[in-house]
């Protein structure tokens, strides 16, 4: 059976298992590695390509509306605790990630509406990608960015803003008008 038919069938199952899945979401689960569906939210009209790696640990991953990804994105909401003496990293339990009742090793990832995430981008725990931002191919994103940023590099840094403050106001006004129609 062709892979796109299997993807269509399994996409229905994956979407039902997600915390929340919007309308018109494109997903290729048979050629992707997606873990923790119960902690994954994807907004309307978002396209998640084949070759995607999304690991939702005890922290959620929220992907907004109309987000597009280049090939092979990686999103990881967790991290390993590396300071436990007498244990291999793989043997540290989820419970041991809590220090004083707080899990600092698993943190949410949020990609706001209208972003473009380039090819082979890695987004790590605790990051919020502001609405309308562009992440350059190959970037490793370890810190949050403001709306309408263009960021890139390893680690990713601000390259420039997409619009001036006046242009942002006009852009958002036009988007709001279109959404009311």
């Amino acid at each position: 059976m062709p892979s796109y038919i299997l993807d269509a069938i399994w996409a229905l199952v994956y979407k039902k298992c997600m915390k929340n899945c919007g309308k018109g979401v494109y997903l290729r689960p048979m050629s992707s590695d997606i873990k923790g569906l119960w902690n994954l939210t994807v907004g309307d009209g978002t396209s998640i390509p084949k070759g995607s790696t999304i690991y939702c640990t005890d922290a959620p991953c929220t992907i907004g509306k109309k987000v597009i990804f280049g090939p092979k994105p990686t999103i990881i909401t967790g991290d390993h605790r590396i300071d436990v003496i007498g244990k291999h990293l793989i043997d540290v339990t989820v419970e041991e990630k809590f220090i004083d009742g707080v899990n600092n090793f698993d943190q949410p990832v949020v990609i706001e509406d209208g972003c473009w995430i380039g090819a082979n981008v890695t987004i790590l725990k605790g990051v919020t990608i502001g609405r309308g931002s562009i992440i350059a191919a190959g970037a490793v994103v370890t810190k949050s960015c403001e709306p309408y940023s263009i960021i890139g590099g390893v680690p990713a840094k601000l390259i420039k803003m997409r619009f001036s403050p006046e242009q942002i106001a006009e852009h958002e006004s036009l988007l709001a008008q279109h959404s009311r129609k």
Side-chain angles (χ1 to χ4, degrees), residues 132-160:
S133 291
I134 299 170
I135 312 302
V140 176
V141 186
T142 59
K143 293 188 173 139
S144 298
C145 67
E146 296 296 316
Y148 303 104
S149 297
I150 300 174
I151 65 171
V154 179
K157 293 183 178 10
L158 179 67
I159 296 170
K160 69 178 195 172

Side-chain angles (χ1 to χ4, degrees), residues 107-123:
Q107 297 174 2
V109 169
V110 177
I111 301 172
E112 294 180 348
D113 297 347
C115 292
W116 173 21
I117 311 300
N120 297 304
V121 167
T122 299
I123 301 171

Side-chain angles (χ1 to χ4, degrees), residues 2-8 10-12 14-15 18 25-34 46-53:
S3 66
Y4 64 88
I5 293 174
L6 286 173
D7 270 327
W10 278 105
L12 295 172
Y14 272 57
K15 289 175 183 183
M18 286 182 193
V25 170
Y26 174 80
L27 179 65
R28 299 287 303 268
M30 296 304 296
S31 58
S32 296
D33 187 6
I34 304 173
T46 288
S47 178
I48 299 174
K50 68 180 184 175
S52 297
T53 300

Side-chain angles (χ1 to χ4, degrees), residues 9 45 54 62 82 91 109 137 149 165-166 180:
I9 294 166
I54 302 174
T62 304
I82 62 171
D91 295 330
V109 169
S149 297
E166 297 80 19
R180 283 184 243 142

Side-chain angles (χ1 to χ4, degrees), residues 24-90:
V25 170
Y26 174 80
L27 179 65
R28 299 287 303 268
M30 296 304 296
S31 58
S32 296
D33 187 6
I34 304 173
K35 305 281 191 270
L37 288 168
W38 60 89
N39 241 349
L40 177 60
T41 297
V42 181
D44 297 344
T46 288
S47 178
I48 299 174
K50 68 180 184 175
S52 297
T53 300
I54 302 174
Y55 290 168
C56 299
T57 58
D58 284 344
C61 177
T62 304
I63 301 171
K65 298 176 183 175
K66 298 190 181 266
V67 174
I68 55 174
F69 290 89
K72 300 181 180 173
T74 299
I75 303 169
I76 303 172
T77 66
D79 203 351
H80 295 283
R81 185 164 177 193
I82 62 171
D83 63 344
V84 177
I85 297 171
K87 283 193 169 187
H88 294 287
L89 293 173
I90 198 166

